Amino acid sequence: MSSLKVHPIRSLNAEISVSGDKSISHRSIIFGSLAEGPTRIQNFLPSHDCLATMHAFQALGVEIEMLEDGTVYIEGSGGELTPCGEAIDCGNSGTTMRLMAGLLSGYPFISRLVGDESLHRRPMKRVADPLAKMGAEIKCQGQNGRPPLEIHGDYPLKAVKYTTRVSSAQIKSAMLLAALRAEGKSVITEKEQSRDHTERMLRLFGASSVRDGRSVSILGQQRLHGCDLTVPGDFSSAAFWMVAAAVSGEAKLILHQVGMNPTRTGLLNVLSRMGGQIQESLDGDSWEPVGKITIFGGAALRGTIIEGDEIPNVIDEIPVLAVAAALADGTTTIRGAAELRVKESDRLATVADMLSSFGVPVEEFDDGMTITGGAEINGTTVDSHGDHRIAMAATIMGLSANGTTTVQNTDCIKTSYPGFEQDLKTVLAENPADRSTLANGITNLIIGKKDPKKLERKS
């Protein structure tokens, strides 16, 4: 079991470029595999989750190669996939399993999707039931609608008008991928809009889709065309460093080439509302907005309320926003986030446990929590429970805690951010304000396995 051990720092001054976006990397493999002709992907995220999607399509007969310079080259199948004689292993990736379930529903053969122990605990009826409205037959072979999944694609899919019960980009994307194989026009409507990377990538690969408010419509039987694309830096990965800077007494952190998709950047609004000092600048027009984010520390953060239609746009950032709340003055309340209970861990429970172990008063609800900031934060030992976002959030908390913080079971970080440990070293090494603490911080970084427009948000 690997672990990270960190000490507090008094200031932070660094410039980094985070790894490629996980959600976009998944989708680039999917659409490149389905398209006609070649696709070249720059800045692909080689995380365990994204590699699971890559391996799934290789198992289905698509030629995909990782070149020496990190470029992913895909010889598109033109939508022609071949049956896989064995079960497709999705690893720990819910995105892989749910999106592949939608896609494979439209192929005339039987597919079986499996994953690790953690993935087999995650609910799949939430995607199987809406796909059934399109004529898909998906059998959840685990208890209570859980994996493994067996998909019988022998039945033609039909277009559908459907309103999702949960605002989830995975459910929406699974249905849009199924709709590509259906006859007629499908319309998918969400209660609140989730991240829209699938819709953007459909257009990038030459498909026609129309957004109208919270609805997106798409015609079936469209052909996709290969292209060259660069994956933006992952906003959810950058969020950990944004919070680290925002809670620091002295800080200036510059993040380059970060994805600025407005369905992903809710954390900027929350931090700004809490008093964080943030500058943004867009790099220009692109199929996905990309830009530079600068965070200044030194401001006293204050508690806030996070709820309602803001939740889908901060769902992955809530663990690290909880860190900001713990280090702010006053109370922060998070409601409407019950979706966190069915992530890699029960994130409401594991976030609450993490905060409590640092000495932070927290009250947990069915759909959220109340965090009382301002308590003395003391270093502790935190078990990530195999959840990458808990492991990283606890590490960021440790940079502001008294004494030593040890985060256990950190191998899981590689599922989404394999460069986290190196970026942590970079952030510590570029801090000129506290050399002695830095030396301790780097020495005690333990990895158990060796193996234009300018927008400004200010308080």
Side-chain angles (χ1 to χ4, degrees), residues 202-223:
L202 278 166
R203 294 191 292 272
L204 180 67
F205 280 84
S208 175
S209 64
V210 177
R211 172 162 290 285
D212 182 11
R214 292 176 287 106
S215 299
V216 57
S217 60
I218 184 170
L219 286 171
Q221 307 299 315
Q222 296 189 64
R223 307 294 289 182

Side-chain angles (χ1 to χ4, degrees), residues 334-362:
I334 302 168
R335 299 306 297 255
E339 175 72 8
L340 290 174
R341 293 209 181 272
V342 291
K343 294 291 186 178
E344 285 83 341
S345 68
D346 178 343
R347 280 191 185 149
L348 291 179
T350 50
V351 167
D353 286 347
M354 175 194 73
L355 295 178
S356 295
S357 71
F358 280 101
V360 178
V362 56

Side-chain angles (χ1 to χ4, degrees), residues 102-103 105-107 131 134-136 155-159 177-179 181-183:
L103 174 66
S105 295
Y107 283 84
L131 288 168
M134 305 180 75
Y155 308 98
L157 298 180
K158 59 188 178 183
L177 288 168
R181 302 283 296 180
E183 294 282 353

